[in-house]
Amino acid sequence: MPAQAYAGKECVCQLRKGICDQSCVQGMLDTPFYIACLKLTGRRCVVVGGGSIGLEKVEGLLACDGQVTLIAPDAEPALREYADEGSIEWQRRRYAGPADLQGAFIVIAATDDTDVNIAVFEDAERRAMLANVVDVPPLCNFILPAIVRSGPLAIAISTAGASPALAKRMKREIEGQFGEPYARLAVLLNEVRGWAKGTLPTYRDRKEFFEGIVNGDPDPIELLRGDGAASGQGEGAVRELIARAQMQRTPQVSRA
């Protein structure tokens, strides 16, 4: 049965329909989202709302080295601790308007006040900045996917807002399939990027070099996942695999 058949919840978006008829989200599944990874290090990130959802968003931004400002008259104990230790700036008041977004790169609103949520979104839109009002898709110009994170490896899962529960299940399954061995291989391959750029003359040469390792025999993931992984022997075997690949490629370049 379509979502609009369950109309009855109070409208919380800028359409202000009184009773929600789901018309604001009917086009979500047809929206082509541009997937990107944002560098937040040192950037001002504003979170409006100090509840449990606000805590979740603050911790996600801190994990990416964002410079977080929390705007809320009250806050969860964990948020108070972050403020006390200096990890975030807590402005203990209600959202006051556009000036609160001065110098901000991104804003996330996690309040139960529809007027505040709409004001945050509209103020952000006028500044052409990134804005997300939690659980209100029409008050978002970007959505937050479920993230599987291990070392430098990050995998995003999005259902375009259709089913957060399904995204969470997929996250659990992906965490089981792609974990520490993949993250470790990414680190080891990054160590030879400088050599590849300095030694292999073309993009195609570098592409073939790395794909030969990743897709080769023996499988580097299996080496990192095997019995010697805990002792570091698996990592040593992968380093040897990379070294052999370097030796195979270096003579070709020297003859050129």
Side-chain angles (χ1 to χ4, degrees):
M1 188 175 292
Q4 55 266 35
Y6 294 99
K9 181 181 177 181
E10 182 180 354
C11 177
V12 294
C13 77
Q14 69 270 52
L15 298 182
R16 295 183 183 275
K17 289 198 169 187
I19 299 300
C20 177
D21 64 0
Q22 294 290 314
S23 60
C24 60
V25 297
Q26 288 177 19
M28 285 292 291
L29 297 184
D30 298 323
T31 301
F33 287 96
Y34 185 77
I35 305 299
C37 296
L38 302 178
K39 182 179 180 181
L40 299 182
T41 302
R43 294 184 182 271
R44 184 169 186 252
C45 305
V46 175
V47 175
V48 182
S52 59
I53 302 300
L55 171 61
E56 175 189 328
K57 303 310 176 186
V58 164
E59 290 182 332
L61 294 169
L62 288 176
C64 297
D65 296 327
Q67 188 179 68
V68 180
T69 296
L70 173 69
I71 300 175
D74 197 7
E76 290 281 306
L79 288 169
R80 292 172 176 268
E81 291 180 12
Y82 285 135
D84 290 343
E85 70 189 22
S87 296
I88 67 172
E89 176 191 355
W90 179 19
Q91 298 185 11
R92 306 182 188 199
R93 56 175 175 79
R94 289 173 59 84
Y95 177 76
D100 284 340
L101 304 183
Q102 182 67 36
F105 177 69
I106 187 173
V107 60
I108 299 175
T111 84
D112 55 6
D113 188 318
T114 298
D115 290 335
V116 170
N117 290 339
I118 292 173
V120 169
F121 176 73
E122 291 181 346
D123 291 343
E125 280 283 273
R126 281 191 286 270
R127 290 175 173 269
M129 61 181 287
L130 294 171
N132 178 282
V133 175
V134 178
D135 288 336
V136 190
L139 293 180
C140 302
N141 57 28
F142 77 99
I143 59 176
L144 292 165
I147 301 294
V148 175
R149 196 182 300 277
S150 179
L153 187 67
I155 303 172
I157 306 108
S158 172
T159 62
S163 177
L166 177 58
K168 288 181 180 179
R169 172 179 171 169
M170 294 174 67
K171 177 182 177 180
R172 290 194 302 270
E173 293 179 358
I174 289 172
E175 282 174 333
Q177 183 175 358
F178 302 100
E180 175 61 23
Y182 286 85
R184 191 59 201 149
L185 180 58
V187 172
L188 294 173
L189 292 174
N190 183 65
E191 292 176 358
V192 293
R193 286 185 66 193
W195 174 88
K197 288 184 176 181
T199 307
L200 305 178
T202 68
Y203 168 80
R204 179 166 183 165
D205 289 328
R206 294 188 290 273
K207 179 174 179 287
E208 291 176 350
F209 169 74
F210 284 111
E211 288 187 351
I213 296 169
V214 171
N215 301 318
D217 185 16
D219 182 349
I221 292 296
E222 292 305 315
L223 292 175
L224 292 168
R225 189 181 275 156
D227 294 338
S231 64
Q233 293 178 2
E235 184 174 311
V238 173
R239 290 186 185 278
E240 291 177 7
L241 185 67
I242 293 172
R244 286 197 298 271
Q246 288 176 290
M247 291 180 61
Q248 291 170 1
R249 301 291 300 191
T250 301
Q252 298 176 15
V253 176
S254 63
R255 286 199 300 269

